[in-house]
Amino acid sequence: MASAVEELQKDLEEVKVLLEKATRKRVRDVLTAEKSKVETEIKNKMQQKAQRKAEALDSEKPAAVVAPITTGYTVKISNYGWDQSDKFVKIYVTLAGVHHVPAENVQVHFTERSFDLLVKNLNGKNYSMIVNNLLKPISVEGSSKKVKTDTVIVLCRKKAENTRWDYLTQVEKECKDKEKPSYDTETDPSEGLMNVLKKIYEDGDDDMKRTINKAWVQSREKQAKGDTEF
């Protein structure tokens, strides 16, 4: 059975074929948008697959590699709040007693589109929070952290000040965009493409319908030929 990524890659190839055949601007715009959407879905699924593989490899590491001084285990932080000002995006993480641990035990590593928070040896446990694919770039040099009573505040300095972030990460934005009224792709990755093509076909003139029919047949013949060549 083909994986979701393989199905999406087949959809992408089909969109590319149709895009090559299309001549009308409106049709090309729709197909170009669908091409970008499918490419984004493929990228996200590949990242998820790589992350799951990395986590699996980490879990297979022998206990002997862990330094004896390590205390407790690491808890992944999933609950947090955030807001923003003209210059900063602020992430609030509540951890009881965090203000009592040594300052060097609270570490934050920033990149232009991510940050990694690690709190060591808090009540016998380590706490980790990794946020990738921030919605917009941040200034690594201008970003920092603050430790308040039972709270760590991660301060991400906006690279473009006076701009509003509607979401913390690009993934959140894409998830929200998918929730907006659009073509239903919940059950099958191919359904969104099918609905796009159906709408173009129904709204198109006779020349457009003939173009789509020809491209569809050529795409299917090419796919069938590829499936039988072993």
Side-chain angles (χ1 to χ4, degrees):
M1 181 179 294
S3 67
V5 173
E6 291 173 340
E7 290 296 328
L8 287 169
Q9 288 172 337
K10 290 180 180 179
D11 287 349
L12 181 60
E13 291 302 318
E14 202 152 285
V15 170
K16 289 179 179 178
V17 171
L18 293 171
L19 191 56
E20 291 176 358
K21 300 295 182 181
T23 56
R24 296 174 64 87
K25 183 179 184 301
R26 178 184 173 191
V27 175
R28 290 187 61 85
D29 288 345
V30 173
L31 289 172
T32 300
E34 183 65 19
K35 177 176 174 286
S36 298
K37 177 182 175 183
V38 175
E39 288 174 339
T40 298
E41 289 186 44
I42 292 174
K43 180 179 178 182
N44 289 339
K45 288 188 180 296
M46 293 296 289
Q47 289 177 342
Q48 292 170 4
K49 183 178 180 181
Q51 184 175 354
R52 286 195 298 268
K53 184 177 180 180
E55 291 175 351
L57 290 174
D58 287 341
S59 65
E60 294 173 0
K61 290 181 180 179
V65 302
V66 179
I69 60 173
T70 300
T71 303
Y73 57 91
T74 299
V75 178
K76 289 187 177 181
I77 300 170
S78 57
N79 294 323
Y80 61 89
W82 72 282
D83 64 12
Q84 62 186 302
S85 64
D86 290 340
K87 295 182 178 180
F88 289 94
V89 173
K90 307 171 187 178
I91 296 88
Y92 299 87
V93 180
T94 300
L95 292 171
V98 69
H99 54 290
H100 293 310
V101 303
E104 60 268 20
N105 282 21
V106 181
Q107 304 172 358
V108 184
H109 174 69
F110 296 96
T111 71
E112 191 175 65
R113 295 295 290 269
S114 71
F115 69 85
D116 180 352
L117 167 65
L118 177 62
V119 179
K120 297 181 179 179
N121 197 17
L122 173 58
N123 299 323
K125 301 175 184 177
N126 301 321
Y127 291 83
S128 172
M129 178 181 181
I130 300 175
V131 177
N132 294 314
N133 298 316
L134 290 170
L135 184 67
K136 299 179 182 180
I138 63 174
S139 168
V140 175
E141 297 78 11
S143 299
S144 61
K145 71 177 187 303
K146 288 184 180 180
V147 179
K148 302 290 187 180
T149 302
D150 297 330
T151 304
V152 178
I153 305 173
V154 180
L155 301 167
C156 297
R157 181 69 178 257
K158 295 178 178 178
K159 213 162 193 180
E161 297 182 2
N162 301 310
T163 57
R164 177 176 176 79
W165 289 31
D166 293 323
Y167 308 95
L168 182 60
T169 67
Q170 185 67 29
V171 174
E172 290 177 16
K173 178 181 182 301
E174 291 172 359
C175 289
K176 290 295 183 182
D177 289 344
K178 288 180 181 179
E179 291 176 4
K180 294 178 182 179
S182 62
Y183 305 112
D184 180 16
T185 59
E186 292 182 0
T187 57
D188 186 344
S190 301
E191 288 188 9
L193 174 61
M194 293 297 296
N195 286 328
V196 170
L197 296 177
K198 182 178 179 182
K199 181 171 180 57
I200 294 174
Y201 188 89
E202 291 175 348
D203 294 343
D205 55 22
D206 291 339
D207 288 339
M208 189 66 250
K209 290 179 179 179
R210 281 194 293 269
T211 299
I212 292 177
N213 284 332
K214 182 178 179 181
W216 182 269
V217 171
Q218 291 176 345
S219 174
R220 289 304 181 190
E221 289 177 348
K222 182 179 179 181
Q223 187 176 24
K225 182 179 179 181
D227 291 342
T228 57
E229 290 182 353
F230 291 101

